[in-house]
Amino acid sequence: QTAALLPLPLAFQWHLAGNKSELQLDNLALQWAAGTTLRTSGTLSQPLALEKMRLRLPNVQLRTVKSDMQLLYTDTSIGLPAYVQLQGGTEWSQQGFKGNLKLLLPDGDAWLSVDVDQTDRLRYVADVQLEGTAWADLFKQADWGDVALNLRAEGAGTDPQSLEAALEGRFNKLAYRSEKLDGLEFSGRLQSGKFDFSAKVDQEVLAFELGATGDIDSLRNALDLRLQLFRAQLHRLGLREEELLARLELEAHYQARGQDLQARLAFNDLQLQNSTTIYKLERQGFELASGTQGSSASANGALAQGKLTANAGIDSLLAAIDAWQTAQSWAALGSLELDAQLQI
């Protein structure tokens, strides 16, 4: 049979046989437009009982070409490949689904293995592998090159308070502006509103270790972060035109509960080096606190020292400053009081 679709012909062929216990789905074949084809076969168990129904498609083959994809997807921010081919198998039921799929592109491949179980509580495990240069081409990122990524994600639950999730990944190959970033790895975990994340890489142009922990819930948000940047050749990473090598240790803390906010930021052992000069900063810290009764900010270190206090919280302070900018009158500040000291 054929039907009009955008308004190209669709050819469909399917052989169906069986009984109320199981249907055999043989030789499903679909052809559309210039070069889109879908071929599969499988079984449908218990077709009359939704809670017991199970669809098995052990062999799925889908292929499409760029001219066909352009009919359905017109966003020019994506660099559509000459063709896309999907192979694999899948199994679906009301209790969940499983799949093992391989995606083939002209200059790259991807593998996906997924297992989702929603019998009593949503649980999922997914493994992903990416290889090749096709992914940089797909998102039109000329600075990125060859990629080989292994990624695993797993979790359970949908409620924010009981949600559990974990993520692990490693780039066995990663090129940026022709520079090697192989070995970049990262991991994260979320459980009962608490999370942690880490990442690290050790290459000639970039070496760092990053760690972060925090809380995300309806009453309190918090973040603690530590970055050790052992080296970064900023010019080779395209962040500076002239030669510049950087290293630093950074610590940050943020906590918010209602209208109360606290934040700290500290730079330790900052060093910037070009071809002629080395600039060092042993420590520079900044603190911010805000509540309904007032707010304060301070700086303490070799670069700057100072303190600012106000009899209003951050939100009220920003609103008063905005009103002053609009009215161009000191009267717009109302009863706002500021006390500031700064030394550089």
Side-chain angles (χ1 to χ4, degrees):
Q1 296 180 348
T2 60
L5 182 62
L6 293 180
L8 301 172
L10 172 68
F12 183 78
Q13 179 182 339
W14 191 12
H15 181 264
L16 180 65
N19 52 45
K20 64 180 182 180
S21 297
E22 184 174 275
L23 294 176
Q24 192 72 30
L25 315 176
D26 290 333
N27 302 320
L28 171 61
L30 180 148
Q31 293 182 330
W32 176 71
T36 298
T37 59
L38 169 65
R39 298 182 183 278
T40 187
S41 60
T43 59
L44 180 62
S45 302
Q46 301 295 329
L48 301 182
L50 182 61
E51 67 280 1
K52 297 180 180 179
M53 187 182 302
R54 186 176 299 273
L55 175 64
R56 296 182 178 90
L57 300 174
N59 185 16
V60 178
Q61 297 186 33
L62 171 65
R63 180 182 171 88
T64 188
V65 294
K66 183 176 182 178
S67 60
D68 293 356
M69 290 185 282
Q70 288 174 329
L71 296 172
L72 302 174
Y73 190 82
T74 58
D75 190 344
T76 57
S77 64
I78 298 295
L80 296 175
Y83 67 85
V84 173
Q85 187 169 337
L86 182 68
Q87 302 173 346
T90 183
E91 181 178 319
W92 297 75
S93 71
Q94 194 174 31
Q95 290 73 42
F97 66 92
K98 300 178 181 179
N100 287 284
L101 302 170
K102 182 177 182 179
L103 184 68
L104 305 174
L105 302 177
D107 298 306
D109 299 329
W111 293 264
L112 170 64
S113 175
V114 61
D115 187 347
V116 177
D117 182 356
Q118 48 189 15
T119 304
D120 53 353
R121 181 189 183 206
L122 177 65
R123 296 180 176 86
Y124 65 88
V125 178
D127 291 291
V128 179
Q129 294 181 18
L130 302 178
E131 291 184 358
T133 61
W135 314 105
D137 298 336
L138 185 65
F139 297 103
K140 296 187 176 180
Q141 299 296 317
D143 288 336
W144 294 98
D146 199 7
V147 169
L149 168 66
N150 291 338
L151 180 68
R152 182 179 180 86
E154 56 184 314
T158 56
D159 186 294
Q161 300 303 316
S162 61
L163 181 66
E164 300 176 10
L167 178 72
E168 292 184 0
R170 176 182 170 84
F171 287 92
N172 295 316
K173 280 186 179 181
L174 181 61
Y176 180 73
R177 297 178 65 91
S178 300
E179 300 291 350
K180 288 180 57 176
L181 296 177
D182 302 359
L184 173 62
E185 57 185 54
F186 54 91
S187 64
R189 183 173 296 275
L190 173 65
Q191 186 172 16
S192 301
K194 298 182 180 294
F195 72 89
D196 62 77
F197 179 82
S198 63
K200 64 180 181 179
V201 70
D202 186 2
Q203 288 292 344
E204 181 183 356
V205 296
L206 180 64
F208 73 85
E209 291 184 1
L210 171 69
T213 60
D215 296 274
I216 303 175
D217 59 44
S218 58
L219 299 177
R220 176 178 179 268
N221 292 326
L223 172 67
D224 285 285
L225 181 146
R226 178 178 173 85
L227 170 66
Q228 291 182 286
L229 181 64
F230 303 112
R231 60 181 171 275
Q233 299 194 42
L234 302 182
H235 56 294
R236 292 174 62 177
L237 294 171
L239 301 177
R240 297 278 296 184
E241 292 186 3
E242 65 274 12
E243 178 181 342
L244 186 63
L245 177 66
R247 80 176 188 196
L248 67 84
E249 293 183 11
L250 181 148
E251 297 178 355
H253 169 78
Y254 169 83
Q255 178 177 300
R257 184 190 297 269
Q259 293 184 324
D260 295 331
L261 179 150
Q262 293 181 339
R264 296 192 303 271
L265 179 65
F267 296 94
N268 303 313
D269 191 27
L270 170 64
Q271 179 172 304
L272 299 174
Q273 179 179 350
N274 58 25
S275 57
T276 59
T277 307
I278 298 178
Y279 174 78
K280 293 184 178 181
L281 179 64
E282 291 185 358
R283 180 175 175 83
Q284 179 65 52
F286 302 92
E287 294 190 13
L288 173 67
S290 174
T292 56
Q293 302 301 314
S295 57
S296 64
S298 63
N300 187 12
L303 180 65
Q305 297 187 45
K307 187 174 184 180
L308 171 68
T309 59
N311 64 342
I314 292 293
D315 292 340
S316 300
L317 180 61
L318 294 177
I321 294 175
D322 184 63
W324 172 77
Q325 291 179 329
T326 302
Q328 292 293 304
S329 170
W330 292 106
L333 296 178
S335 59
L336 178 65
E337 297 180 4
L338 296 175
D339 183 14
Q341 303 174 5
L342 179 63
Q343 178 180 350
I344 299 178

